[in-house]
Amino acid sequence: MRSARVGAAEPLLALPDKPSVAVLPFTDMSGDPEQEFFADGIAEDIITALSRYPSLFVIARNSCFTYKGRAVDVKQVGRDLGVRYVLEGSLRKSGNRIRVTAQLVEAETGKHVWAERYDRDLVDIFPLQDEITEAVTIAIAPAVAGAEQQRALRKLPESLDAWAAYQRGLWHLMKFTADDNSAALRFFQQAIDIDPTFTGGYWGLAAARFYASYIFPLRDPLESPSSIEALARRAVALDGSDAEARSWLGLILFLLGDYKGGLAEIECALVLSSNLAIAHAHLGFALIWSGGPKEGLAAFQRCFRLDPRAPSVGAHLAQVAAGHYHSRDYEAAVGAAEHAIRSNPDFPLNYFWLPAALGQLGCIAEAREALEKAIAIGPRLFDVYVRQPVAPFRPEDYAHMLEGMRKAGWNG
């Protein structure tokens, strides 16, 4: 029997289907043993926090900490642990000040995806550790998502695997235009065709079909609500621990009139992944439209804090305008609506609340102009939400909206 050859290369680990991250122990550059525990604690907490993101595959602490105290080659770490991204950092103390630096590197190429430095006063070590952990964590997840979408965009459509097709669909979905939504429909369907067990393809297709029917004038007659719900439920059935799938199911249920069921799914998503920005946005939507506009606005603020550069921010601002409108803060509603239009002038819903809010303020000429533009850019949207209202309007919210629209000059 032959013995194993000494020095034989270890087999390469296959990359997981989702983006994979290894968080290396942070280097203590202060020479203070107490700070070494602080550095280790930050790395451990980041690993725990990132593990709650359903879109990430995160290597466990024990494997990551085998690199503690060693000079490492990021490319080799990527090969050893089978990851696409490596987070490394350092800690330095000077007097009562502490500096933590962190950088996210694409292992295969050595390219820096993200880097940041945090300077803080060293007062109470545990709240400080929590603060830095949260700051690093909420920056990394969007950075990885952006890098993954750019990788998918560089591939030819015919060469995409299910994950890459899903990423392409997500990139188009978050543009919130009619043409991009049509492309999203194709890519999400492609992801399902390639892998019928891939969760993201189903909830992505459900979201894109809803937008096609209720936001953009692409489908006539409207998509069956039951078929949209079935796609979202299929996603959750495939993976009940996928917080994104549950959050999108919750939003779709709420939009289709199942308020309690929708809110329950969104809250379940936040239990699974408390820092999932899109789930906070969906919670904000549900709260605004179920009689809690101020609570809903707070949820949107949390969403923006978690992912301030998300491409969906421009579309979320339409709901912020709705929240201010239903809080009777019409000046703030005008400001949010104008910000939304500047952020994404192609999204019809961004024009929806401006005429109503201006009408309530008595700015009749401006309100009439805004009303004409809102009808021109989104005639289907106006039909669905004003002439023939559907969920999520409560009767009192619908009456309040109509009051503003009529003051703006609408006679329907």
Side-chain angles (χ1 to χ4, degrees):
M1 178 177 176
R2 286 192 308 173
S3 59
R5 182 167 57 88
V6 176
E10 293 291 331
L12 292 177
L13 294 171
L15 290 174
D17 292 336
K18 60 177 66 174
S20 45
V21 182
V23 180
L24 300 184
F26 279 36
T27 303
D28 173 28
M29 302 177 69
S30 66
D32 182 349
E34 291 187 7
Q35 302 313 313
E36 183 176 347
F37 291 111
F38 182 45
D40 287 352
I42 290 176
E44 290 174 0
D45 286 353
I46 290 173
I47 291 171
T48 300
L50 289 178
S51 298
R52 298 192 182 106
Y53 282 86
S55 58
L56 298 177
F57 180 96
V58 182
I59 299 297
R61 176 209 185 275
N62 288 344
S63 293
C64 293
F65 270 63
T66 60
Y67 296 91
K68 183 176 172 64
R70 294 164 50 188
V72 298
D73 174 4
V74 170
K75 293 183 179 180
Q76 186 61 47
V77 172
R79 290 191 290 268
D80 290 346
L81 299 180
V83 294
R84 182 166 290 139
Y85 303 98
V86 174
L87 178 75
E88 52 185 358
S90 65
L91 179 149
R92 187 191 303 271
K93 179 176 178 288
S94 178
N96 289 325
R97 296 282 288 174
I98 196 164
R99 170 173 291 178
V100 176
T101 61
Q103 57 185 7
L104 185 69
V105 181
E106 189 174 28
E108 184 179 7
T109 64
K111 176 184 175 183
H112 283 70
V113 175
W114 167 88
E116 190 56 86
R117 182 181 74 193
Y118 304 92
D119 292 317
R120 298 289 190 274
D121 290 321
L122 187 56
V123 181
D124 191 336
I125 196 166
F126 291 114
L128 178 60
Q129 182 173 316
D130 291 343
E131 179 189 349
I132 293 176
T133 296
E134 181 181 47
V136 173
T137 302
I138 65 177
I140 290 172
V144 170
E148 286 293 293
Q149 288 185 6
Q150 290 303 312
R151 290 183 70 256
L153 290 171
R154 290 195 294 267
K155 293 185 176 183
L156 295 174
E158 60 270 18
S159 68
L160 298 177
D161 57 17
W163 174 258
Y166 158 75
Q167 287 293 329
R168 289 282 283 269
L170 197 59
W171 186 86
H172 285 289
L173 184 73
M174 292 296 106
K175 293 294 183 181
F176 294 100
T177 71
D179 289 343
D180 279 297
N181 199 72
S182 294
L185 288 165
R186 295 194 301 272
F187 282 115
F188 287 133
Q189 185 63 59
Q190 183 177 350
I192 293 171
D193 292 342
I194 295 170
D195 183 358
T197 66
F198 183 63
T199 303
Y202 289 96
W203 68 250
L205 188 60
R209 285 188 178 179
F210 183 89
Y211 290 147
S213 290
Y214 295 96
I215 302 295
F216 304 111
L218 298 179
R219 291 182 178 268
D220 196 6
L222 300 180
E223 184 83 26
S224 163
S226 60
S227 68
I228 297 173
E229 180 182 339
L231 285 168
R233 288 196 179 279
R234 175 63 174 158
V236 171
L238 286 168
D239 186 356
S241 65
D242 188 325
E244 285 179 295
R246 284 200 174 274
S247 184
W248 279 99
L249 172 60
L251 178 67
I252 288 167
L253 288 176
F254 194 92
L255 288 166
L256 297 178
D258 182 0
Y259 304 129
K260 289 184 179 179
L263 189 57
E265 288 291 346
I266 295 167
E267 289 173 341
C268 179
L270 286 168
V271 170
L272 291 168
S273 184
S274 61
N275 285 331
L276 184 61
I278 193 65
H280 284 279
H282 293 167
L283 177 64
F285 184 98
L287 290 172
I288 286 170
W289 292 104
S290 58
K294 292 183 179 178
E295 295 84 354
L297 289 171
F300 271 110
Q301 288 304 312
R302 180 62 176 164
C303 168
F304 299 153
R305 172 68 180 87
L306 289 168
D307 198 358
R309 297 182 180 178
S312 56
V313 167
H316 292 332
L317 286 169
Q319 299 307 320
V320 172
H324 287 304
Y325 183 88
H326 288 306
S327 299
R328 268 61 175 180
D329 188 347
Y330 303 121
E331 291 276 5
V334 168
E338 290 177 340
H339 188 185
I341 292 167
R342 289 193 301 271
S343 299
N344 188 346
D346 296 320
F347 188 49
L349 196 58
N350 286 348
Y351 294 82
F352 191 80
W353 292 102
L354 185 58
L358 288 169
Q360 295 285 14
L361 290 171
C363 304
I364 304 305
E366 294 175 71
R368 285 183 181 277
E369 181 181 351
L371 179 65
E372 290 173 2
K373 185 170 288 188
I375 295 173
I377 199 167
R380 168 63 60 82
L381 182 75
F382 212 80
D383 283 341
V384 168
Y385 289 98
V386 180
R387 292 191 175 94
Q388 301 169 12
V390 296
F393 279 116
R394 300 183 309 155
E396 56 268 46
D397 290 336
Y398 178 61
H400 182 210
M401 181 273 296
L402 277 187
E403 179 183 82
M405 290 293 187
R406 287 180 174 142
K407 287 179 180 179
W410 187 65
N411 297 317

